[in-house]
Amino acid sequence: MRVAIYPGTFDPVHHGHVDIARRAAALVDRLIIAVYSRPLKTLLFSTEERVLMVKEAIAGLDNIEVASYNGLTVDYATKVGASFIVRGLRVISDFELEYQMALTNRKLAAHIDMVCLMTSLEYAFLSSSIVKEVAMAGGCVEQMVPSHVSRALESRLGEMGEGKGDEVGLISLRD
Ligand code: ADP
């Protein structure tokens, strides 16, 4: 059985992620979307919230599961019996990072390979940071994320109130 994991932070999941997951799932028997619990970045959503949002985003795609993990991605892949790690590429800078990660992972676990899928053109601009920044500035994210994620963003930002997002790393569409 061909098993792959698609790891990431998914804070929050957006259409670009779903597109990669859908396409990767067509290549394997079982795809596990692996939500990284404690990345080295400030998060807007908890692990449980991110997992639930991804689950809802891929509902109906039967060979995809969602789980959270900590520690080394290759260790998690080994634990679940995956032979591939799927990643998505948007721009050259993604490639540089993924290339370094792939070579590091190869050193750590030579039995696991990385498979990178190119973004679909309509999602090439899309990242979780961009989604958060647009939402925080009061913009509409309906074309970027599933509707349940759009509602979750609205409610989380409402709870945070004034100064929202000051502690979340953003790119900056406002300056
Ligand atoms: P990271 O894990 O780097 O924090 P994410 O969790 O946002 O980033 O993304 C997980 C994976 O999905 C990464 O491989 C990332 O390159 C890929 N990805 C994110 N956005 C897109 C997009 N718009 N198109 C294709 N791949 C994407």
Side-chain angles (χ1 to χ4, degrees):
M1 188 190 244
R2 210 184 282 257
V3 182
I5 63 165
Y6 175 29
T9 309
F10 307 103
D11 184 49
V13 65
H14 55 66
H15 289 326
H17 293 133
V18 175
D19 175 60
I20 294 289
R22 190 192 300 272
R23 287 161 51 206
L27 304 174
V28 295
D29 299 302
R30 182 173 166 229
L31 178 74
I32 302 166
I33 301 183
V35 177
Y36 192 46
S37 269
R38 286 196 284 270
L40 299 171
K41 25 179 155 165
T42 315
L43 297 168
L44 193 58
F45 295 102
S46 70
T47 306
E48 293 69 30
E49 289 168 329
R50 286 178 286 134
V51 167
L52 281 177
M53 281 190 279
V54 177
K55 277 190 178 160
E56 198 168 336
I58 52 99
L61 299 171
D62 22 272
N63 63 334
I64 311 186
E65 294 154 40
V66 188
S68 63
Y69 77 106
N70 274 310
L72 286 175
T73 302
V74 286
D75 287 347
Y76 180 70
T78 305
K79 192 176 113 188
V80 296
S83 0
F84 303 102
I85 296 175
V86 172
R87 298 287 287 176
L89 293 181
R90 287 159 292 194
V91 287
I92 293 289
S93 53
D94 277 351
F95 171 77
E96 285 170 359
L97 204 72
E98 299 299 342
Y99 180 63
Q100 192 180 18
M101 259 201 286
L103 295 183
T104 308
N105 284 339
R106 177 79 54 80
K107 279 272 173 236
L108 296 169
H111 58 289
I112 295 172
D113 234 319
M114 187 185 270
V115 174
C116 289
L117 298 182
M118 302 306 135
T119 184
S120 295
L121 199 53
E122 64 267 44
Y123 306 128
F125 70 99
L126 205 44
S127 67
S128 296
S129 300
I130 278 284
V131 168
K132 286 183 276 194
E133 173 130 25
V134 170
M136 282 168 186
C140 174
V141 293
E142 272 165 24
Q143 290 182 51
M144 305 178 195
V145 296
S147 52
H148 67 281
V149 175
S150 167
R151 287 194 298 276
L153 276 163
E154 204 177 309
S155 104
R156 176 54 38 87
L157 296 174
E159 287 160 21
M160 290 165 72
E162 215 32 52
K164 56 195 174 193
D166 285 355
E167 65 286 0
V168 180
L170 297 174
I171 295 164
S172 211
L173 294 173
R174 282 172 288 184
D175 299 337

